[in-house]
Amino acid sequence: MLGALADGSWVTRERVRLVAGIALVIFTAAIVYALATAHGTLDARGHPLGTDYSNVHAAGRMALDGHAAQAWDWRAHHQVQQALHGDPKVPFYGWHYPPPFLLVASLLAFLPYLAALFVWQAATLTGAAVLVRSILPGRAALLAALGAPVVFICLGHGQNAFLTAALFGGGLLLLDKRPFAAGLLLGCLIYKPQFALLIPPLLLVAWRWRAIAGAIVSAGLLTGLTLLLWGWPVWQAFLDSLPLTQRKVVEAGATGWEKIQSPFAMVRMWGGGVLPAYVVQAAATLASIGIVLWLARRARPAERNAAALAAALISTPYVLDYDFVLLGVAIAFLAADGLRRGFLSWEKTLLALAWIAPLFARQLAAATLIPLGQATAIIVLALAARRAIVLDRSPEPRPLSSR
């Protein structure tokens, strides 16, 4: 048994297809059930379908109605969400994004809520799936991508992790052959800057000047467009909202420590204070970014890209389980490299763990205080660094297993 786990022989193409296929059927049935038992835009529990998407659609409506800056006013935003769903008991889903994401929200708000939710999730999931197919061709890989538990979690929350993964992973994939286009994609991550912390030093260390130019162009255009449409007040409202967001959402864990998958949340979940949590987070951030920068100078693109995606999840104090769609793309990069050059011991088993972990990571953290989600990001980062150390030090690497 231990031998099969070590060499990964139990992870066969047929089993990947079977498990992913079963998962896809179950998740699809769950979504159909939620829709069938819904009342308008609310599910059977009285929560909005797509939960977090409620704040996106409400913010878009506020912008279209000429009240864009009020999207960062929690009370005003909650009132719009309540009116949107026609129920004063609808929970508040906070809007904490920089103004560029309001551009997306405004476009979606032209459609009715459910139609917009479908278009939003279908379009971004398609983009992420196309990316995975580009990294790791084959029907089994696509099935594994669509059947991944994190996909269902992201769909259930109506979240933007598919878009983040497509932009981040796509930018990394294009970085060496089409650097300016890569930069254009990476610059769009201005809408979710906590995941873009390592991008500037990575591009600088890798000497990707055209990518830097592309990132400046796209980020600048998005910023300029928000100023053109709504002026400085939206940026002022966003900046003014940051202290409250930091206190309530990040430091006090209003979302729930079991949902947040960061080193900061781990310390707070274990009863640590805010200052120790920031110290641990800073150490994890510096260490993970440092590993990526080291890999940027010596590793192959697949290892660098997987490490960067994993480090993006480690280097921010606020990351939730649905954001681990990024880790799914990292898994695809490492799996593709493993199929080309062979897998090292334990790699297949650990990648399989990272694939399935989102299914129960939140529940496990709530019951045992074990931060499995965070652990899988660290594992994937370590696997990428290990491949660089073991396989890239000689022109003819000799993997332990090629199954």
Side-chain angles (χ1 to χ4, degrees):
M1 179 62 178
L2 188 61
L5 291 174
D7 64 24
S9 58
W10 68 278
V11 184
T12 64
R13 189 180 301 270
E14 291 72 23
R15 284 178 178 159
V16 168
R17 286 176 175 170
L18 177 63
V19 173
I22 292 173
L24 184 57
V25 170
I26 293 174
F27 296 153
T28 302
I31 291 174
V32 170
Y33 176 80
L35 293 172
T37 57
H39 304 283
T41 60
L42 301 177
D43 64 18
R45 302 173 300 163
H47 294 170
L49 292 167
T51 57
D52 291 347
Y53 178 72
S54 181
N55 70 59
V56 177
H57 206 82
R61 284 300 334 159
M62 296 173 83
L64 294 181
D65 291 341
H67 307 293
Q70 291 186 24
W72 288 270
D73 182 323
W74 288 16
R75 179 174 297 179
H77 198 143
H78 192 195
Q79 290 174 350
V80 175
Q81 290 183 39
Q82 292 169 330
L84 176 65
H85 301 291
D87 188 342
K89 298 189 295 295
V90 167
F92 174 58
Y93 297 90
W95 170 265
H96 314 299
Y97 300 101
F101 195 50
L102 194 57
L103 298 168
V104 176
S106 300
L107 291 174
L108 290 169
F110 279 108
L111 296 172
Y113 183 89
L114 292 180
L117 175 60
F118 175 81
V119 169
W120 165 237
Q121 293 295 264
T124 54
L125 174 57
T126 298
V130 169
L131 170 64
V132 171
R133 190 70 184 269
S134 300
I135 299 169
L136 189 59
R139 293 182 179 179
L142 181 60
L143 186 60
L146 295 176
V150 73
V151 169
F152 175 68
I153 295 172
C154 188
L155 287 172
H157 286 80
Q159 263 291 340
N160 50 37
F162 300 136
L163 176 62
T164 305
L167 293 173
F168 206 150
L172 292 170
L173 183 64
L174 296 175
L175 188 56
D176 300 296
K177 294 184 178 179
R178 299 179 61 188
F180 186 76
L184 290 176
L185 294 178
L186 295 173
C188 290
L189 288 171
I190 189 175
Y191 92 92
K192 202 151 186 176
Q194 70 265 37
F195 292 134
L197 185 62
L198 64 79
I199 290 177
L202 171 60
L203 298 182
L204 286 170
V205 168
W207 296 344
R208 296 294 188 267
W209 309 116
R210 294 181 64 189
I212 293 173
I216 292 174
V217 168
S218 59
L221 286 175
L222 290 174
T223 301
L225 188 54
T226 63
L227 293 172
L228 179 64
L229 291 174
W230 303 302
W232 175 250
V234 293
W235 282 95
Q236 188 64 58
F238 165 66
L239 294 174
D240 290 344
S241 73
L242 290 179
L244 180 60
T245 298
Q246 181 179 1
R247 291 196 308 271
K248 296 291 187 180
V249 179
V250 178
E251 296 179 350
T255 308
W257 296 126
E258 75 281 0
K259 302 176 185 178
I260 309 174
Q261 311 282 320
S262 69
F264 181 93
M266 175 191 70
V267 175
R268 297 289 283 140
M269 182 173 63
W270 289 349
V274 171
L275 181 58
Y278 274 126
V279 170
V280 171
Q281 180 62 58
T285 298
L286 292 174
S288 59
I289 292 179
I291 291 173
V292 174
L293 299 184
W294 173 71
L295 291 173
R297 300 296 299 167
R298 64 158 293 163
R300 301 194 181 204
E303 299 155 350
R304 175 202 65 201
N305 296 346
L309 289 162
L313 297 170
I314 300 169
S315 61
T316 173
Y318 191 68
V319 53
L320 282 89
D321 49 2
Y322 47 71
D323 292 314
F324 275 60
V325 174
L326 274 72
L327 201 67
V329 179
I331 293 170
F333 275 118
L334 290 183
D337 194 56
L339 291 173
R340 282 193 298 267
R341 300 195 290 158
F343 290 93
L344 300 176
S345 62
W346 291 99
E347 275 188 326
K348 282 188 175 183
T349 294
L350 291 174
L351 291 177
L353 172 63
W355 180 87
I356 201 171
L359 183 63
F360 47 82
R362 180 184 295 190
Q363 293 77 10
L364 183 66
T368 68
L369 304 185
I370 297 175
L372 179 62
Q374 178 193 150
T376 58
I378 295 172
I379 287 170
V380 170
L381 177 61
L383 290 178
R386 179 191 181 207
R387 288 188 71 83
I389 294 171
V390 174
L391 300 181
D392 295 346
R393 61 186 179 186
S394 64
E396 296 182 357
R398 306 178 72 176
L400 302 179
S401 171
S402 59
R403 297 186 180 184

